[in-house]
Amino acid sequence: MYRQSRKTGKSTKTGKSTKTRKIRKSGQRQRPSVALTAAAVAALAPLAAACGSEKADGGGGSGAAGAAGEPITGVRWSIDSVTVDGTTHRAPDAAHVRIDDGGEAAGSTGCNSFSARAAVEGAGDDRRVRLSDAMFTEKACAKTPAGFEKSLGRALTTGSLTTENEGERLTLTTADGDTVRLSRSEDASLYGTEWVVDAPGQKGDKGRAHLTFDREAKTVSGRLPCNRVNAGATVSDGRITLGAPSTTRMMCEGSLMDAEKRLLGLFDGKVQYRIDHETLTLTSEDGATVRAVAEQ
């Protein structure tokens, strides 16, 4: 599976297997991890109290805006840094968190993904965020410092966090004065972005499909799971009118050809499109949906 970084512009994948483990409220694992070094385990353990997937009672609907009226929920926040005991740790490029109105939070340390029950409480200057009940993946990633993950876990799990929302920036502060600094992530541009399509049958680069829209030429070009493709593409009012596709004529294994046929069904017609940060969703007139992620 490909993951994209808005800052580095690289698409990465890990050869490590990903494990999902439910964490008891005490923070202890149900069984030891075989994927992590001792340092990585120590770094991730504090996230146990911060992550989970169930909706919080009285969830975050009332906490949609901060003291200045800026939204807190429904925003993908990039994690910029964490400061604990006076030491600041810069976050990896891919580190982020999003708190939904339904009472759930999800994010990534830049290596391990996590989810949580989330509650936004209070109003005005007393607005607070509380995360609890954990699930997170466990991987050892050399480029993600254990010190950052450990500090992030500690900051997010010490209890109620005060919020300071200044437009595009948000600061979460613990009762001890530790801070997590975040900034609003911008949506990727439809044009000029290589959109890597989530297509069945992909095995590494084999079957990797991608599309790029050109504003000036009013075209879309790229690669389907088997063949290359070009077509006209005119954008208006949240819709893209795609022309008849011109493709190469190679033959591939059955699963790739089936996936290619599905993608070709989007062409020679209109599709609705929506961009949520780095995810592009295309929906055809008959309701078929295709998703892609940005690689820049």
Side-chain angles (χ1 to χ4, degrees):
M1 177 176 178
Y2 287 84
R3 301 175 62 193
Q4 286 70 35
S5 168
R6 295 283 290 124
K7 297 181 181 178
T8 65
K10 299 293 183 182
S11 173
T12 63
K13 63 177 182 178
T14 176
K16 299 286 185 179
S17 61
T18 299
K19 298 183 179 180
T20 301
R21 190 179 306 283
K22 189 169 183 178
I23 305 304
R24 302 179 185 275
K25 289 186 177 181
S26 64
Q28 296 180 345
R29 292 178 175 78
Q30 294 173 319
R31 61 182 184 275
S33 167
V34 297
L36 295 179
T37 63
V41 171
L44 285 175
L47 286 175
C51 313
S53 59
E54 298 178 6
K55 292 183 179 180
D57 294 333
S62 63
E70 297 290 341
I72 291 176
T73 60
V75 176
R76 188 185 193 277
W77 296 101
S78 292
I79 301 174
D80 297 326
S81 65
V82 179
T83 301
V84 171
D85 292 336
T87 300
T88 298
H89 302 268
R90 297 295 304 173
D93 294 329
H96 68 273
V97 65
R98 180 187 179 106
I99 302 173
D100 292 329
D101 291 332
E104 296 180 354
S108 171
T109 66
C111 171
N112 288 281
S113 59
F114 61 89
S115 58
R117 295 179 65 192
V120 182
E121 307 160 339
D125 293 337
D126 295 324
R127 186 84 54 181
R128 292 174 179 268
V129 173
R130 184 184 296 273
L131 303 179
S132 61
D133 295 347
M135 291 185 70
F136 61 88
T137 61
E138 294 180 346
K139 295 182 293 184
C141 301
K143 294 184 179 180
T144 301
F148 166 75
E149 290 195 324
K150 182 177 180 179
S151 297
L152 179 64
R154 173 176 165 181
L156 292 178
T157 62
T158 55
S160 185
L161 305 168
T162 62
T163 65
E164 182 180 354
N165 196 335
E166 299 179 350
E168 301 298 306
R169 298 187 180 277
L170 174 67
T171 301
L172 304 178
T173 305
T174 70
D176 294 330
D178 298 330
T179 59
V180 180
R181 300 189 184 278
L182 311 103
S183 58
R184 183 188 298 268
S185 297
E186 296 181 358
D187 291 338
S189 172
L190 174 66
Y191 298 105
T193 299
E194 183 175 292
W195 294 103
V196 179
V197 181
D198 182 12
Q202 293 181 2
K203 297 178 181 179
D205 288 336
K206 184 179 181 181
R208 182 177 182 268
H210 57 88
L211 298 171
T212 301
F213 293 87
D214 188 314
R215 184 196 300 268
E216 298 299 324
K218 296 183 179 180
T219 60
V220 61
S221 61
R223 187 175 185 85
L224 303 175
C226 182
N227 288 281
R228 298 199 63 82
V229 64
N230 290 276
T234 304
V235 180
S236 178
D237 297 328
R239 291 176 178 269
I240 306 173
T241 300
L242 296 173
S246 174
T247 70
T248 54
R249 298 293 183 89
M250 294 189 297
M251 294 297 295
C252 299
E253 63 184 71
S255 61
L256 296 183
M257 296 306 294
D258 289 343
E260 181 158 311
K261 182 178 179 180
R262 177 171 175 254
L263 292 179
L264 285 172
L266 296 175
F267 290 83
D268 204 10
K270 292 184 178 180
V271 295
Q272 291 183 330
Y273 80 95
R274 180 171 60 84
I275 298 175
D276 182 6
H277 188 61
E278 293 182 339
T279 300
L280 170 66
T281 302
L282 302 173
T283 305
S284 67
E285 292 179 309
D286 62 4
T289 298
V290 172
R291 290 183 175 84
V293 292
E295 177 179 314
Q296 295 185 339

